[in-house]
Structures are given as structure tokens and as C-alpha cells.
Amino acid sequence: MKHDDHLPDAVDTSDNPFVKHFSDPEAVAHYAEGPRRVVPGLEALHRMTAILLAERVPADARVLVLGAGGGMELQVLAEAHPGWTFVGVDPAAAMLRLAERAVGPDMMRVALIEGYIDDAPPGPFDAAVCLLTLHFLDAAERERTVSEIHRRLRPGAPFVAAHLSFPQGDGRELWLDRHVAYPVAMGADPAQMRGARDAIATRLATFSPDQDEAILRAGGFAEVSLFFAAFAWRGWIAQA
């Protein structure tokens, strides 16, 4: 597929340490525990996502889910809206197998693809979701990915994105501390979370909420609106 002239070519993220983490059997085996500890209000985020999409899509909507490994959002969306069908994309095969188990009998309405946004069908989709994923991409690849999501959507289709997004500059260290303090309070191992904090601080491309909104707009989306904020996490709904 030819990309728009102003967009950079796709990059190989196979060496990304965070992507590799999701191919580790032990990490995958304990995945379901992690997001609930790390993301305040994760269940509410999933429920709100289902509500926001339902405002703008038909009863038989076709929904693209990028970063679908684990299947947590797929499970919630499929249970809430039995008429919807889904295409889920994720680079980690082990995480897709986990998604199959999580979704269970609703898998008859779900197609899973191992890969990245370029491996997704051209659409058009009635909606798209990308939760806890875009923070793994640098600015250029994030904008390119958002643009590729946009071009797969029908005009006016909703897109929900949620990921790490917090003030940078002088306040960055405090927000990183808060980010790891929450899972520790929820029972996570403090030493493990200190390691996670160091990895995020040095190896993850995080941006301020204003910068993230600008990336969504640069990727073609309009009516970008913040609906979720929980410590270092932010979520937006936008319109193609």
C-alpha cells in the first residue's frame, strides 16, 4: 500500500524491548494481572470505550482493534455489542493466543492478525480502538500509525486511543513516580516496578497530552476530545 508522501516509511519495531516482552512466555502467562494493577480504572476505560463507540456506529459495526493481544478490550466490546464484528491486530503471536482464550465463544465474530497496522485490512471500518499501545511508538511512527488507522475508517467513524501521556519537562519525574506508585499500592513488586520506571524513563517515547492530541490531529482526526485521565494515563475519542 502506498503511503501519503509526507509520511515516513514503516519502521521495524521487532527489536523494541517492550514488544519482545510480550513474546516472553512467562510475561504472557501473567499478563492479565498486569494491566489491572498498572492502569487505574482499566475496567471503566473498557466500558467507556464501548459506550463511546456505540454513540456513532451501527448495530452491525465492523471494528478495528490495534494492539489486540491479551483480548481484554475485545472481550468487553464483544460482550457489550453482540452485533459487532472485529479485526484484531497485534505483533505478538502468544498474545493473540491469549486473546482467543479471553474472547472465548465470541471468537466467531473476531479475526486476529499477527502484525502491525500495515497488516490490517484496508477497511472501511466503522470504528477503531487502540488501547495501551501507541506509547510503544516514537513520534514519527505514532503519527504514521494513526494516519493508517484513519485511512481505514469510514468518514466520521470514531477512534478511541488510550496510552501513557503525561507532562514532560520539569514535572516528568514526579509523574513517573506516580505511575509506579499505583501498581505498588495494588500489590506489584516494588523492585520490578522500579525497573519498569527506568525502562519507561529511558526507552519509551512519552509525550504530553497536548503533544499526543496534536499527533492525533496530524494523523487526520478531528473533534479530538479527552475522556479519560488516571495518573499518567490519558484516553481520547476522535472522529475520522
Side-chain angles (χ1 to χ4, degrees), residues 145-232:
T145 296
V146 168
S147 296
E148 289 297 323
I149 293 171
H150 181 272
R151 67 191 295 171
R152 286 166 168 78
L153 292 176
R154 299 185 191 278
F159 172 46
V160 171
H163 46 269
L164 283 171
S165 180
F166 53 92
Q168 305 297 301
D170 293 340
R172 188 171 191 264
E173 297 302 314
L174 176 59
W175 281 99
L176 286 168
D177 289 342
R178 290 169 174 170
H179 173 63
V180 300
Y182 181 80
V184 170
M186 293 290 288
D189 178 67
Q192 185 179 33
M193 291 313 302
R194 284 194 296 271
R197 184 200 186 284
D198 291 342
I200 293 169
T202 61
R203 308 182 76 172
L204 209 63
T206 56
F207 304 102
S208 71
D210 286 346
Q211 290 171 310
D212 271 310
E213 286 193 22
I215 289 172
L216 292 174
R217 295 182 190 282
F221 287 95
E223 297 185 20
V224 180
S225 179
L226 182 74
F227 75 91
F228 179 81
F231 273 177

Side-chain angles (χ1 to χ4, degrees), residues 90-166:
D90 196 278
M95 291 293 288
L96 290 176
R97 290 192 292 271
L98 188 61
E100 289 181 347
R101 295 195 292 272
V103 176
D106 287 318
M107 273 303 300
M108 68 181 64
R109 294 187 283 124
V110 180
L112 295 177
I113 297 172
E114 182 181 350
Y116 299 88
I117 184 58
D118 300 285
D119 301 296
F125 290 92
D126 298 296
V129 174
C130 188
L131 304 183
L132 318 188
T133 297
L134 287 177
H135 52 235
F136 295 124
L137 306 178
D138 63 24
E141 182 62 11
R142 196 177 302 193
E143 181 184 333
R144 193 194 72 82
T145 296
V146 168
S147 296
E148 289 297 323
I149 293 171
H150 181 272
R151 67 191 295 171
R152 286 166 168 78
L153 292 176
R154 299 185 191 278
F159 172 46
V160 171
H163 46 269
L164 283 171
S165 180
F166 53 92

Side-chain angles (χ1 to χ4, degrees), residues 44-66:
L45 172 62
H46 290 157
R47 296 295 177 189
M48 285 187 282
T49 297
I51 291 169
L52 290 169
L53 296 187
E55 292 175 347
R56 302 187 183 185
V57 303
D60 60 349
R62 186 180 184 218
V63 181
L64 173 64
V65 180
L66 186 65

